[in-house]
Amino acid sequence: MIKVDISNVWGQLTLPELLATEKDVAAAHMTLTQGTGEGNDFLGWLDLPKTEETDEMRRIRLAADRIRENSDVFVVIGIGGSYLGPRAAIELMQGVNHNIGKGKGNPQIFFAGNSLSTRHWNELQRLLEGKDFSIAIISTSGTTTEPAISTRALRWMLERKYGTDGARKRIYAITDPCKGALRQMAGEEGWETFVIPPDVGGRYSVLTAVGLLPMAVAGIDILKVMQGAAQAKKDYDLRSFENPVWQYAGVRNALYKKGKVMELFESFEPGFKMFGGWWQQLFGETEGKDGKGIFPVTAELTPDLHSLGQMIQQGERNIFETMVRFDAPENKMVIGEDVKNLDGLNYLAGKTLDFVDEKAFLGTVAAHVDGGVPVMTMDMGELNDAKLGEMFYFLELCCGVSAYILGVNPFNQPGVELYKRNMFRLLGKPGYEDK
Ligand code: PA5
């Protein structure tokens, strides 16, 4: 199980203050699991985990096998909840350089439709030159501007390269089962489709085909991911402060009440950055409403200690940190002995990189706690496919509980819709002239 260590928050929070939240935490957990709160028509994610392969998962696995076999590159189109989960999963499991040296049999995976950058588009065009490729279009609505533009362009590239019939076999649509522009397009064009259940919001969709198809193409065992999530569903149902979900959700809300309005969610793994981005959307879109919410920020340690470190240590005292830790991998890097020792590093000769990392972690926690910043540690244990599923489900659960404690609807995002509507009006989209 994931362990949450809250021993480094006590300088800023007292045990009675935490225990005073118990009633609210228990009520929030109950509201979530019994489906009695606001937004309860979006609770489908609670039941996504599976212990055995479903028909949808089998189709995902077969599609992934096909893509792996016939493509040098797989392009995943989507934004927000239709993008962050799969990218987070792949980069966490395989690192930020996972594409290097890949091709047919184990294709490179690029993401498109997540910005309006012409430079990014030009780069993708260059990367696709002379390559066999397939695409997955992920969008509930099918009308979000960024992915819609990329879809149009990539689909035409495929049709020019393989003809309409050939292209059809290389386009996969992941969308609502019945409605929306992408559903209609896929039906008319005969693309293979996978479902985003209507009761699962974008930011809670990583354990649907949204996350599973790209993960399977990357070679991640999606059955293990789902089994890890299923185990999490059981393990984290505990109704007491022994439950790490209660500890995390309870402490962050208690700290918020004491003016800690910003959370830094960090890890010492470079591959964790996009996972932090996924977490940021999950908590940001879930909690940031009605003038409330803890501002979620993700950071990468140790690099960001050399940029944000000063601010964390001595800036405004309105932040707390959650540091995510993993067991060290078996393959060790041992620091060598150098005869000249000009860098003075010989005192570490024979020690592993993990050893140094551990001390950096402990030193950082001690410094930040001294500086008045409460720090929680989330110890994930060994990182593997099942753990990935466990982490996704655990954090989604924490987020739902936390938002109900805060007193907001965890499952809408009216602010995001406003930006989309304004952009449509400024672009002159028919029907949005006076919106
Ligand atoms: O979490 C959400 O609901 C959003 O981030 C959406 O996923 C994002 O705006 C993309 O929308 P769509 O999937 O309709 O293209």
Side-chain angles (χ1 to χ4, degrees):
M1 269 176 78
I2 292 164
K3 291 190 200 103
V4 175
D5 176 1
I6 59 172
S7 60
N8 287 305
V9 304
W10 299 129
Q12 303 293 318
L13 193 69
T14 65
L15 186 59
E17 280 168 339
L18 178 62
L19 292 178
T21 67
E22 187 168 2
K23 225 172 80 216
D24 291 343
V25 181
H29 198 171
M30 183 104 86
T31 303
L32 183 71
T33 51
Q34 294 192 343
T36 51
E38 261 195 297
N40 57 3
D41 42 347
F42 280 96
L43 290 174
W45 59 273
L46 280 169
D47 298 316
L48 288 174
K50 299 283 179 284
T51 49
E52 279 169 26
E53 190 176 64
T54 60
D55 280 352
E56 176 92 341
M57 283 162 67
R58 190 181 60 83
R59 283 200 311 114
I60 290 172
R61 183 168 52 76
L62 295 176
D65 287 348
R66 242 179 355 257
I67 294 163
R68 284 170 69 84
E69 206 172 286
N70 70 11
S71 304
D72 300 299
V73 178
F74 179 49
V75 184
V76 181
I77 304 169
I79 196 164
S82 297
Y83 151 69
L84 289 159
R87 185 157 177 191
I90 293 167
E91 292 197 3
L92 180 61
M93 299 309 290
Q94 304 184 346
V96 288
N97 298 314
H98 62 91
N99 278 327
I100 292 175
K102 283 188 176 174
K104 221 162 269 164
N106 188 17
Q108 296 180 312
I109 301 180
F110 295 120
F111 292 87
N114 54 64
S115 80
L116 293 167
S117 159
T118 307
R119 281 185 189 82
H120 185 247
W121 171 252
N122 291 343
E123 186 192 353
L124 182 64
Q125 296 253 83
R126 189 172 46 74
L127 292 165
L128 289 175
E129 256 167 44
K131 300 276 172 65
D132 282 319
F133 70 101
S134 301
I135 64 174
I137 310 153
I138 309 179
S139 178
T140 302
S141 59
T143 53
T144 307
T145 311
E146 297 90 330
I149 292 172
S150 293
T151 297
R152 204 177 256 211
L154 285 163
R155 176 197 161 176
W156 286 345
M157 276 173 71
L158 281 170
E159 286 173 356
R160 277 197 299 275
K161 194 173 166 93
Y162 301 103
T164 317
D165 279 346
R168 185 175 297 133
K169 298 189 190 107
R170 291 175 175 273
I171 303 177
Y172 301 84
I174 302 174
T175 189
D176 185 277
C178 308
K179 60 180 190 338
L182 182 54
R183 170 55 57 184
Q184 189 186 348
M185 223 192 286
E188 287 183 13
E189 302 297 333
W191 301 334
E192 176 157 15
T193 60
F194 298 98
V195 161
I196 307 175
D199 56 358
V200 177
R203 59 189 175 277
Y204 293 86
S205 68
V206 66
L207 297 175
T208 69
V210 170
L212 297 181
L213 179 63
M215 282 187 226
V217 174
I220 295 171
D221 184 335
I222 58 170
L223 179 57
K224 291 216 171 96
V225 171
M226 289 299 247
Q227 288 171 338
Q231 189 60 44
K233 187 176 177 205
K234 267 198 204 149
D235 289 346
Y236 302 115
D237 195 43
L238 188 66
R239 308 298 163 115
S240 86
F241 259 120
E242 275 167 48
N243 186 343
V245 170
W246 281 39
Q247 292 165 11
Y248 182 50
V251 167
R252 63 198 302 286
N253 276 280
L255 288 172
Y256 179 61
K257 276 195 192 141
K258 301 198 77 177
K260 305 293 180 191
V261 294
M262 199 179 294
E263 177 178 7
L264 277 161
F265 190 72
E266 309 147 321
S267 153
F268 286 66
E269 293 294 335
F272 186 83
K273 207 171 190 158
M274 285 307 300
F275 194 94
W278 170 83
W279 168 89
Q280 197 165 268
Q281 187 208 9
L282 180 68
F283 278 80
E285 270 190 8
T286 296
E287 294 194 325
K289 52 198 73 151
D290 305 339
K292 300 189 218 176
I294 297 167
F295 196 92
V297 183
T298 188
E300 182 192 342
L301 306 184
T302 58
D304 286 334
L305 291 176
H306 300 259
S307 61
L308 292 173
Q310 174 61 34
M311 178 58 111
I312 299 170
Q313 196 66 45
Q314 295 179 330
E316 190 156 358
R317 302 299 70 194
N318 59 356
I319 56 174
F320 65 96
E321 290 175 280
T322 302
M323 289 195 193
V324 174
R325 299 290 292 165
F326 297 97
D327 288 354
E330 272 174 25
N331 234 355
K332 303 287 176 207
M333 189 273 210
V334 181
I335 299 164
E337 175 121 17
D338 184 88
V339 183
K340 289 193 178 163
N341 193 29
L342 292 178
D343 52 12
L345 212 59
N346 273 354
Y347 79 105
L348 288 177
K351 297 274 194 296
T352 64
L353 191 55
D354 292 334
F355 170 84
V356 181
D357 173 74
E358 176 71 13
K359 300 298 175 227
F361 158 65
L362 294 172
T364 306
V365 173
H368 292 182
V369 169
D370 268 359
V373 179
V375 180
M376 279 189 271
T377 307
M378 225 175 243
D379 187 349
M380 300 294 186
E382 188 192 335
L383 180 59
N384 53 36
D385 295 344
K387 179 63 66 179
L388 181 66
E390 180 184 352
M391 286 168 64
F392 278 131
Y393 195 83
F394 170 77
L395 287 165
E396 287 173 350
L397 208 53
C398 290
C399 190
V401 171
S402 185
Y404 277 133
I405 300 172
L406 190 64
V408 297
N409 176 347
F411 305 113
N412 64 357
Q413 54 284 328
V416 182
E417 304 311 322
L418 281 179
Y419 131 80
K420 287 189 188 177
R421 219 180 306 152
N422 277 348
M423 188 164 72
F424 286 154
R425 178 173 46 78
L426 292 168
L427 288 169
K429 183 169 175 162
Y432 285 82
E433 294 81 357
D434 51 3
K435 294 262 165 43

